[in-house]
Amino acid sequence: MEERKKIIFSGVKPSGDLTLGNYLGAIKNWVNLQEEYDCYFCVVDLHAITVKQEPKELRRRTLEILSIYIASGIVPEKNTLFIQSHVSAHSEASWLLNCNSYMGELGRMTQFKDKSQKYGESIGAGLFTYPVLMAADILLYNADLVPVGIDQKQHLELSRDIAERFNRVYSPTFTVPDAYIPTFGAKIMDLQDPSKKMSKSEENPNGYILIMDPPEVIRKKVSRAVTDSIGVVNYTDDQPGVKNLINILSSIKGVPAEDIVKSYEGLGYAELKRDVADSIVSELEPIQNKVRDLMNDKTYLEEIYKKGADKANYVAMKTLRKMQKKIGLIPR
Ligand code: TYM
């Protein structure tokens, strides 16, 4: 008999335009995992509304992310691609898990701590409970593996804690998921301040590259990337700007950082930047063209996300029913 394939769940939230960090830390790796695993790739729109969204933009971005998944090489026929809000079990399971989570553990999430410093008392309650919704996403599908960038590692550990607790209190229900974090693209840094993660919420657009940035903009941003005055291409924490450029190249080319360093012996930052810009452009340009085509074919996109929602809903409802029953809710 054929052995059951292991399950993957991952998602990106449509709260802003996607960056090269989202691509190299997450989406690019999903493409490589899709053969070996039974994959659920979700556009997590309910996560995006933890901060204010303009409805029209949210709709556009949700479909753009779905298009980016497909354009990057995720094959819709082989994977389950869907939109989180189309499967109501996510919201329902999230409530059940909220009632089995602690203020203390949620308050220790560094992303929440950072955000609460920024927003103070008026921080949204959704930003506090958001990791529980993320746990619901993952646990509903009994995912074995969750491919994410390093910034999501703590949230994934919380998902494991929540799963283990539920299994202990109510009897074994969930698979306890493992994180899958790539070696070189796990944390792409800001091009202007390489001590910070590359993020769409940064104010200076020269710090990030968007997946949909035109080639000339990509080249300009890379050429302006902050380096140092050492002048030698080395992979070291003392040269964080250069290290970040090497990580980008390494992750796109699938070549270890040490080999990249060797190939720049006797060369300088200008050559490195030129090659980094070339590799990003040649990676993203075909994706951008496909995204534009897909965004003009809403019927096709609708077909994909509807089919995906049907499949996801079937699996998620089964798990949700199990949870409800174990907790003591009366089945309908
Ligand atoms: P989000 O939408 O912020 O980011 C999506 C993915 O991109 C990765 N990432 C990065 N990787 C490398 N370098 C960077 N600079 C960088 N910036 C972002 C993130 O690690 C992530 O993998 N809560 C999640 C979305 C989510 C999810 C889930 C993920 C909701 N439910 C269930 C996995 C499983 C989030 O906000 O990611």
Side-chain angles (χ1 to χ4, degrees), residues 1 54-55 63 86 168 196 200 208 217 250 255 288 327:
M1 214 175 72
E54 214 274 294
L63 293 181
H86 289 179
R168 205 168 46 243
K196 288 194 301 206
K200 51 209 167 201
Y208 55 76
V217 174
S250 171
V255 173
Q288 297 175 348
I327 289 172

Side-chain angles (χ1 to χ4, degrees), residues 103-119:
M103 300 285 282
E105 59 190 354
L106 294 178
R108 278 193 292 278
M109 295 294 111
T110 48
Q111 258 192 16
F112 172 73
K113 285 201 272 192
D114 291 348
K115 291 207 166 129
S116 54
Q117 260 185 359
K118 193 167 147 197
Y119 297 110

Side-chain angles (χ1 to χ4, degrees), residues 36-163:
E36 207 184 319
Y37 293 85
D38 181 7
C39 300
Y40 294 82
F41 297 124
C42 185
V43 183
V44 288
D45 52 351
L46 296 174
H47 278 89
I49 59 168
T50 50
V51 292
K52 265 265 153 320
Q53 298 295 330
E54 214 274 294
K56 194 163 158 250
E57 263 302 285
L58 179 61
R59 277 191 288 271
R60 183 193 65 77
R61 278 204 206 103
T62 301
L63 293 181
E64 187 175 270
I65 294 183
L66 181 67
S67 304
I68 289 175
Y69 289 178
I70 301 168
S72 302
I74 294 166
V75 181
E77 293 76 23
K78 281 194 194 152
N79 303 282
T80 308
L81 301 182
F82 71 106
I83 297 170
Q84 187 185 29
S85 61
H86 289 179
V87 180
S88 62
H90 289 245
S91 306
E92 296 180 63
S94 168
W95 176 252
L96 302 183
L97 295 179
N98 257 317
C99 297
N100 285 281
S101 303
Y102 298 118
M103 300 285 282
E105 59 190 354
L106 294 178
R108 278 193 292 278
M109 295 294 111
T110 48
Q111 258 192 16
F112 172 73
K113 285 201 272 192
D114 291 348
K115 291 207 166 129
S116 54
Q117 260 185 359
K118 193 167 147 197
Y119 297 110
E121 278 284 293
S122 53
I123 185 165
L127 280 173
F128 185 65
T129 54
Y130 140 118
V132 182
L133 177 59
M134 178 162 164
D137 298 340
I138 298 166
L139 302 182
L140 279 172
Y141 301 91
N142 281 302
D144 298 282
L145 207 63
V146 182
V148 283
I150 215 152
D151 62 320
Q152 293 299 324
K153 190 164 174 254
Q154 198 189 25
H155 290 157
L156 205 77
E157 275 156 15
L158 180 77
S159 298
R160 290 172 59 89
D161 290 345
I162 292 175

